[in-house]
Amino acid sequence: MPNIKELTTKIENIITYSENLRVLRLRLPEGSGFSFVPGQFVMVSLPGLADANGRKIAKAYSIASSPSQSGILELCIVSYPAGALSPKVFQKNIGDEVVVTGPYGVFQLKQPVHPGTVFMAGGTGLAPLISMLRSLYAEGYKEKLWLFYSASEPKLFLFREEILGYAKHNNLQLVVSTSNGNSEWVWEKGRVTETFPKHLQQLQQDGVPNEERQFYICGPPLMVTDTVKMLLELGFKKENIHKEQW
Ligand SMILES: Cc1cc2nc3c(=O)[nH]c(=O)nc-3n(C[C@H](O)[C@H](O)[C@H](O)COP(=O)(O)OP(=O)(O)OC[C@H]3O[C@@H](n4cnc5c(N)ncnc54)[C@H](O)[C@@H]3O)c2cc1C
């Protein structure tokens, strides 16, 4: 397959959002020639980690960084205590090695990006979408875009300052929500299927006909299924809905 590479990277930075959620910044080897399209993922493994049959354990993680951030890959990783890979990744520290293979995936930002495109994320489903936004803004994209993003808890609002910056300076219409807001939570309540209908009228004021509106959705399977169902019922077109779930 063209462009697929297996590379040994080093952990350059770790941002801990909670016991079970981290963002890892991986440094690619010098001159690796690794390239990807925003939305794609890599298979992650650890040196020497294999299952009982000696087979390498590798799991998919969407790339959160943009191709413009050369030499690095950022991944948002949830750790499941019983998981074969994720808790092992959480045992790693800055300077440790992580093996990535890729890029893979057909969930990719399609060019040209239509004004009024809507990005909808649940939890770490933000990863491939923030890659798309980072890449667009790095290229100087000026048109209005929408991000509906639901995190289960306020402290799990990934890349918070950066996203608030896009809303302030880059024509990003931002609707952030959580189902478990506390008294400090100043944004909305509920999942994207609850917040989207509330903003539909405002969305439609930008003049993009429903049949032309583009969507990129990523999150847990139930969130994606429910969101697609809602959009189809509202009259948006199946062929304009691009999705990834895990
Ligand atoms: C295209 C793609 C992109 C992905 N991108 C990301 C990403 O950006 N970030 C990320 O964190 N994950 C992502 N995943 C999921 C990831 O590949 C792993 O499936 C996940 O990390 C669990 O792997 P594990 O080996 O730790 O657990 P496993 O050994 O696969 O599972 C062990 C146990 O953990 C629990 N568990 C595993 N997955 C889930 C789940 N989704 N919900 C609830 N419980 C679960 C279950 O109890 C399960 O029995 C992606 C998957 C795909 C297919």
Coordinates of all heavy atoms in Angstrom, one line a residue, residues 41 59-62 76-78 80 82-87 124 127 244-246, ligand 1:
F41 N -6.0 7.6 10.7 CA -5.5 7.0 12.0 C -4.2 6.2 11.8 O -3.8 5.9 10.7 CB -6.6 6.2 12.7 CG -6.9 4.9 11.9 CD1 -6.3 3.7 12.1 CD2 -7.9 4.9 10.9 CE1 -6.6 2.5 11.5 CE2 -8.3 3.7 10.2 CZ -7.6 2.5 10.5
K59 N -3.4 -1.3 18.1 CA -4.8 -0.7 18.1 C -4.8 0.6 17.3 O -3.8 1.3 17.3 CB -5.3 -0.4 19.5 CG -5.4 -1.7 20.4 CD -6.6 -2.6 19.9 CE -6.6 -4.0 20.4 NZ -7.1 -4.2 21.7
A60 N -6.0 1.0 16.8 CA -6.1 2.2 16.0 C -6.3 3.4 16.9 O -7.1 3.4 17.8 CB -7.3 2.0 15.1
Y61 N -5.6 4.5 16.5 CA -5.8 5.8 17.2 C -5.8 6.9 16.1 O -4.9 7.0 15.3 CB -4.8 6.1 18.2 CG -4.9 5.1 19.4 CD1 -4.2 3.9 19.5 CD2 -5.9 5.4 20.4 CE1 -4.4 3.0 20.5 CE2 -6.1 4.5 21.4 CZ -5.3 3.3 21.5 OH -5.6 2.4 22.5
S62 N -6.9 7.7 16.1 CA -7.0 8.8 15.2 C -5.9 9.8 15.4 O -5.6 10.1 16.6 CB -8.3 9.5 15.3 OG -9.3 8.6 14.9
C76 N -5.2 11.1 21.2 CA -6.0 11.3 22.4 C -6.4 9.8 22.8 O -7.1 9.2 22.0 CB -7.3 12.0 22.1 SG -7.0 13.6 21.3
I77 N -5.9 9.4 23.9 CA -6.1 8.0 24.3 C -6.9 7.8 25.6 O -6.5 8.4 26.6 CB -4.7 7.3 24.4 CG1 -4.0 7.5 23.1 CG2 -4.8 5.8 24.8 CD1 -2.7 6.7 23.0
V78 N -7.9 7.0 25.5 CA -8.7 6.6 26.7 C -8.1 5.3 27.1 O -7.9 4.4 26.3 CB -10.2 6.4 26.3 CG1 -11.0 5.9 27.5 CG2 -10.8 7.7 25.9
Y80 N -8.7 1.8 29.1 CA -9.7 0.9 29.6 C -8.9 -0.1 30.5 O -8.0 -0.8 30.0 CB -10.4 0.1 28.5 CG -11.2 1.1 27.6 CD1 -10.7 1.4 26.4 CD2 -12.4 1.6 28.0 CE1 -11.3 2.3 25.6 CE2 -13.1 2.5 27.2 CZ -12.6 2.9 26.0 OH -13.2 3.7 25.2
A82 N -9.2 -3.0 31.5 CA -9.0 -4.4 31.1 C -8.4 -4.5 29.7 O -8.3 -5.5 29.1 CB -10.4 -5.1 31.0
G83 N -8.0 -3.3 29.1 CA -7.6 -3.3 27.8 C -6.2 -3.9 27.5 O -5.3 -3.9 28.4
A84 N -6.0 -4.5 26.3 CA -4.8 -5.1 26.0 C -3.7 -4.1 25.7 O -2.5 -4.4 26.0 CB -5.0 -6.0 24.7
L85 N -4.1 -2.9 25.2 CA -3.0 -1.9 24.9 C -3.1 -0.7 25.7 O -2.1 -0.2 26.3 CB -3.1 -1.6 23.4 CG -2.0 -0.6 23.0 CD1 -0.7 -1.3 22.9 CD2 -2.3 0.1 21.7
S86 N -4.3 -0.1 25.8 CA -4.3 1.3 26.4 C -3.7 1.4 27.8 O -3.0 2.4 28.0 CB -5.8 1.9 26.3 OG -6.7 1.0 27.0
P87 N -4.0 0.5 28.8 CA -3.3 0.7 30.1 C -1.8 0.6 30.0 O -1.1 1.3 30.8 CB -3.9 -0.4 30.9 CG -4.9 -1.1 30.1 CD -4.8 -0.7 28.7
T124 N -13.4 11.5 22.7 CA -12.2 11.5 21.9 C -12.5 11.5 20.4 O -11.5 11.6 19.6 CB -11.3 10.3 22.3 OG1 -12.1 9.1 22.2 CG2 -10.6 10.4 23.6
A127 N -10.7 13.9 18.1 CA -9.3 13.8 17.6 C -9.2 14.0 16.1 O -8.5 14.9 15.6 CB -8.7 12.4 18.0
E244 N -17.0 8.5 11.4 CA -16.0 7.5 11.9 C -16.5 7.2 13.3 O -17.0 8.1 14.0 CB -14.6 8.1 12.0 CG -13.5 7.2 12.5 CD -12.9 6.3 11.5 OE1 -13.5 5.3 11.1 OE2 -11.8 6.7 11.1
Q245 N -16.4 5.9 13.8 CA -16.8 5.6 15.1 C -15.9 4.5 15.7 O -15.3 3.7 15.0 CB -18.3 5.1 15.1 CG -18.5 3.9 14.3 CD -20.0 3.5 14.2 OE1 -20.8 4.4 13.9 NE2 -20.3 2.3 14.4
W246 N -15.9 4.4 17.0 CA -15.2 3.3 17.7 C -15.7 3.1 19.1 O -16.4 4.0 19.6 CB -13.7 3.6 17.7 CG -13.2 4.8 18.4 CD1 -13.1 5.0 19.8 CD2 -12.8 6.0 17.8 NE1 -12.6 6.2 20.1 CE2 -12.4 6.9 18.9 CE3 -12.6 6.5 16.5 CZ2 -12.0 8.2 18.7 CZ3 -12.2 7.7 16.3 CH2 -11.8 8.6 17.4
Ligands
LIG1 C1 -10.5 4.0 13.3 C2 -10.3 3.9 14.8 C3 -9.9 5.1 15.5 C4 -9.8 5.1 16.9 N1 -9.3 6.2 17.5 C5 -9.2 6.2 18.8 C6 -8.8 7.4 19.5 O1 -8.5 8.4 18.9 N2 -8.7 7.3 20.9 C7 -9.1 6.2 21.6 O2 -9.0 6.2 22.8 N3 -9.5 5.1 21.0 C8 -9.5 5.1 19.6 N4 -10.0 3.9 19.0 C9 -10.2 2.7 19.8 C10 -8.9 1.9 20.1 O3 -8.4 1.4 18.8 C11 -9.0 0.7 21.0 O4 -10.1 -0.1 20.6 C12 -9.2 1.1 22.4 O5 -8.1 1.9 22.9 C13 -9.3 -0.1 23.4 O6 -8.1 -0.9 23.2 P1 -7.5 -1.8 24.3 O7 -6.5 -2.7 23.7 O8 -7.0 -0.9 25.4 O9 -8.8 -2.6 24.9 P2 -9.3 -4.0 24.4 O10 -8.4 -5.1 24.8 O11 -9.7 -3.9 23.0 O12 -10.7 -4.1 25.3 C14 -10.7 -4.6 26.6 C15 -11.9 -4.1 27.4 O13 -11.8 -2.7 27.5 C16 -13.2 -2.2 27.4 N5 -13.3 -1.3 26.2 C17 -12.6 -1.3 25.1 N6 -13.0 -0.4 24.2 C18 -14.1 0.2 24.8 C19 -15.0 1.2 24.4 N7 -14.9 1.8 23.2 N8 -16.0 1.5 25.2 C20 -16.1 1.0 26.4 N9 -15.3 0.0 26.9 C21 -14.3 -0.4 26.1 C22 -14.1 -3.4 27.3 O14 -14.4 -3.7 28.6 C23 -13.2 -4.4 26.7 O15 -13.7 -5.7 27.0 C24 -10.1 3.9 17.6 C25 -10.6 2.8 16.9 C26 -10.7 2.8 15.6 C27 -11.3 1.6 14.9

